[in-house]
Amino acid sequence: MGSRGIRALQFARWLQRLPEAPAALARRGFSAKPARAPRMEYQDAIRTLNTLQTNASYLEQVKWERRDPQVQLEAMEGFLERSGLKVEDLDQLRIIHVTGTKGKGSACAFTERILRNYGLKTGFYSSPHLVQVRERIRINGQPISKELFTKYFWQVYNRLEETKNSKPVTTLAYFRFLTIMAFHVFLQEKVGLVVLEVGIGGAYDCTNIIRKPVVCGVSSLGIDHTSILGDTIEKIAWQKGGIFKPGVPAFTVPQPERPLEVLKERAQKSPCPLYLCPDLEAFEVDTKPLQLGLAGDHQRSNATLALQLAHTWLTQQGYLDIGEPKVPWPTPELPGKKLVPLAPAFSLGEPMIKGLQETVWLGRNQILHHGPVTWYIDGAHTTSSMQACVRWFRHVALNEEKPVDGSEVRVLLFNVTGDRDTAALLKLLLPCQFDYAVFCPNFTEVSTAGNAGQFGARLPHRLRLCGIDQAGICAITIK
């Protein structure tokens, strides 16, 4: 075995001895206490949750339901009513609804942090989670406790079980259940507002059951989930614009011309006013350059979307002294051209400036140091987001020359889900100059009784995909 092979074997053995990544992530926002056996009620809730329809089978069902798209929202409404809520109950939540292909989670995180700085009790629903499912449902920026999760899980689950038909038309899926549960949590815990991130698409997403959000936002658009949303960016834009509601202001970041036209058409049909967010530089005229808590130049567009969403929400709720627009608001209707008017920038108060600076969103351009190992973590999963990830990694990790003595080893740890073109994504990573690549399935555990069956069936498939990824990067590097 050559020296590179020996170093690889030594690295692999050493990697196995490291504490699990969740423990490292814990030090950046989650409990850092040693893992103790949680209450059995919580374990039972997680085990039962994992027996619900898996994400993969849910996506297959969504594809089938797209033949009659209204079926999905009707099914969601039925599940909501069986759980003890009506759609009109959700009007109380004063929701900010956000969709997009890239950056919607980051935009939501910026928005939530800004509004929390105004003394508001915030609710935040997002997906997916990194370590624990409780991360999807947050109050004041923190995942709900195990006690609260357990309480509301069994409350909702038992109500749905008690009202179950013998022949349900639509299966209760993992994401649907958590969305309904989140609504119960936010209503009963009396949050002041909810930042609601769309799961997939927009028009027929479970979150789009809401009727009266305060404001809507669309982050950067791209190609993803093509088997569900369509195989062109125009079709995807049509799905995303489906969250627009009559009379509810909506904002979007700069988009390619054709999908921007589609968003404009969706807004006109709703009808609702749609505005384009200005560049972040427009907010920096009267202040120092804004510092963002999230790394990467691409976060600047997410930050300006968050500023507009937060400012509009505060305005709609009657807040004063939140920054006057620097120019008058344009009319949203421009005759003759399918252009989207530019929203004016406004002066930023301390809560907004600090909100942008203090935002934390784990797993996005994140650096973790653990002993001699530095982890560079990002969830890029489209070609454009992977390009942004590579730019960030090269900027923060490749500024210095690599030691010639072999003391530094660069290892790619790669996982992908869904029907994405992994070869195209891996090709973009070549400039990162990795020495080794590790391909892994996206399972953290397979041993619990409640999920062993579904994981056992899928694990061989996932391992085959890892082999395909391995062959793909070998072919790319050989060329």
Side-chain angles (χ1 to χ4, degrees):
M1 181 182 293
S3 60
R4 286 175 65 89
I6 292 173
R7 289 202 307 273
L9 181 59
Q10 290 172 337
F11 176 82
R13 289 173 176 170
W14 176 76
L15 189 63
Q16 290 176 336
R17 295 196 300 269
L18 280 178
E20 292 181 352
L25 286 171
R27 293 192 299 277
R28 295 299 185 92
F30 301 103
S31 173
K33 296 179 180 178
R36 296 186 302 174
R39 294 173 56 187
M40 195 61 191
E41 290 181 6
Y42 176 72
Q43 288 180 328
D44 288 342
I46 296 301
R47 187 177 296 113
T48 304
L49 176 65
N50 287 338
T51 66
L52 298 181
Q53 189 182 28
T54 65
N55 191 53
S57 57
Y58 168 63
L59 293 181
E60 287 300 319
Q61 176 176 303
V62 170
K63 294 175 193 176
W64 179 82
E65 289 177 350
R66 286 294 189 265
R67 303 171 190 173
D68 187 2
Q70 196 60 28
V71 169
Q72 182 159 349
L73 293 180
E74 290 174 356
M76 181 64 180
E77 184 173 350
F79 283 122
L80 184 71
E81 291 186 358
R82 284 171 48 198
S83 76
L85 291 177
K86 295 185 180 297
V87 175
E88 49 265 34
D89 294 330
L90 307 183
D91 298 345
Q92 306 170 38
L93 292 176
R94 297 188 286 184
I95 291 170
I96 297 172
H97 202 192
V98 183
T99 188
T101 306
K102 302 161 293 182
K104 64 181 185 294
S106 298
C108 287
F110 278 127
T111 304
E112 185 276 332
R113 191 64 186 90
I114 290 170
L115 292 172
R116 193 164 13 120
N117 278 359
Y118 283 88
L120 291 157
K121 183 177 182 179
T122 61
F124 181 10
Y125 180 64
S126 65
S127 61
H129 59 274
L130 285 178
V131 182
Q132 301 180 59
V133 68
R134 297 182 292 112
E135 299 165 35
R136 297 183 182 222
I137 306 173
R138 298 170 182 257
I139 294 178
N140 286 335
Q142 294 300 311
I144 59 172
S145 66
K146 291 180 180 178
E147 289 73 20
L148 275 184
F149 186 94
T150 302
K151 170 186 173 181
Y152 288 108
F153 176 88
W154 290 117
Q155 181 186 109
V156 174
Y157 184 84
N158 289 336
R159 285 177 182 171
L160 292 173
E161 283 293 298
E162 291 165 2
T163 57
K164 185 165 61 175
N165 295 327
S166 58
K167 295 181 179 179
V169 176
T170 305
T171 307
L172 177 60
Y174 188 98
F175 184 74
R176 276 182 181 152
F177 180 89
L178 289 174
T179 304
I180 293 170
M181 178 177 158
F183 289 144
H184 279 269
V185 171
F186 296 144
L187 283 167
Q188 294 185 52
E189 295 299 316
K190 295 181 171 55
V191 300
L193 72 129
V194 171
V195 179
L196 186 65
E197 180 189 353
V198 166
I200 295 177
Y204 308 120
D205 184 72
C206 296
T207 64
N208 206 32
I209 194 174
I210 64 171
R211 306 182 311 167
K212 297 179 180 179
V214 175
V215 60
C216 297
V218 182
S219 67
S220 181
L221 297 179
I223 301 294
D224 198 18
H225 297 295
T226 55
S227 59
I228 296 174
L229 305 180
D231 56 2
T232 68
I233 196 169
E234 291 83 6
K235 292 178 181 178
I236 291 171
W238 188 93
Q239 293 282 350
K240 305 294 184 180
I243 71 167
F244 296 159
K245 301 294 188 297
V248 175
F251 295 86
T252 185
V253 300
Q255 310 282 5
E257 180 179 359
R258 182 57 192 142
L260 187 59
E261 289 179 359
V262 174
L263 291 178
K264 175 69 173 178
E265 292 166 3
R266 290 287 264 168
Q268 289 175 330
K269 187 175 181 180
S270 181
C272 72
L274 175 65
Y275 301 97
L276 191 66
C277 295
D279 292 336
L280 198 59
E281 287 84 354
F283 295 91
E284 297 174 327
V285 174
D286 301 324
T287 185
K288 300 177 183 177
L290 293 168
Q291 301 297 314
L292 304 183
L294 305 184
D297 289 341
H298 58 284
Q299 294 292 355
R300 293 178 66 82
S301 67
N302 298 326
T304 189
L305 176 58
L307 288 172
Q308 294 291 351
L309 295 175
H311 187 269
T312 300
W313 190 94
L314 291 165
T315 301
Q316 297 274 3
Q317 302 303 313
Y319 280 73
L320 303 176
D321 299 325
I322 56 172
E324 291 296 322
K326 297 182 178 182
V327 297
W329 278 89
T331 173
E333 300 297 333
L334 294 182
K337 293 186 178 180
K338 294 182 179 179
L339 298 177
V340 177
L342 187 68
F346 46 87
S347 56
L348 301 182
E350 193 67 16
M352 291 193 180
I353 295 173
K354 292 190 68 175
L356 293 178
Q357 185 176 354
E358 296 169 350
T359 298
V360 175
W361 196 226
L362 302 180
R364 284 75 173 176
N365 289 172
Q366 183 183 2
I367 302 175
L368 289 175
H369 299 283
H370 185 83
V373 176
T374 302
W375 302 83
Y376 299 88
I377 304 171
D378 193 58
H381 55 275
T382 67
T383 54
S384 54
S385 60
M386 188 66 81
Q387 288 167 341
C389 176
V390 169
R391 287 194 297 270
W392 164 73
F393 179 73
R394 296 187 71 181
H395 174 70
V396 298
L398 303 184
N399 282 336
E400 298 181 2
E401 287 295 323
K402 186 177 177 181
V404 295
D405 61 0
S407 59
E408 178 182 297
V409 179
R410 294 173 184 157
V411 180
L412 168 67
L413 186 63
F414 186 85
N415 168 255
V416 68
T417 61
D419 53 0
R420 297 179 176 91
D421 186 349
T422 54
L425 297 178
L426 288 167
K427 189 173 183 179
L428 297 172
L429 292 170
L430 289 180
C432 296
Q433 304 171 21
F434 291 111
D435 297 300
Y436 306 100
V438 179
F439 299 97
C440 60
N442 55 314
F443 301 138
T444 56
E445 59 176 312
V446 297
S447 58
T448 59
N451 60 18
Q454 62 165 306
F455 283 135
R458 294 165 57 210
L459 185 57
H461 171 66
R462 294 302 312 171
L463 291 175
R464 281 195 298 272
L465 292 180
C466 291
I468 293 171
D469 294 341
Q470 180 184 17
I473 199 168
C474 288
I476 293 169
T477 54
I478 289 172
K479 288 179 182 179

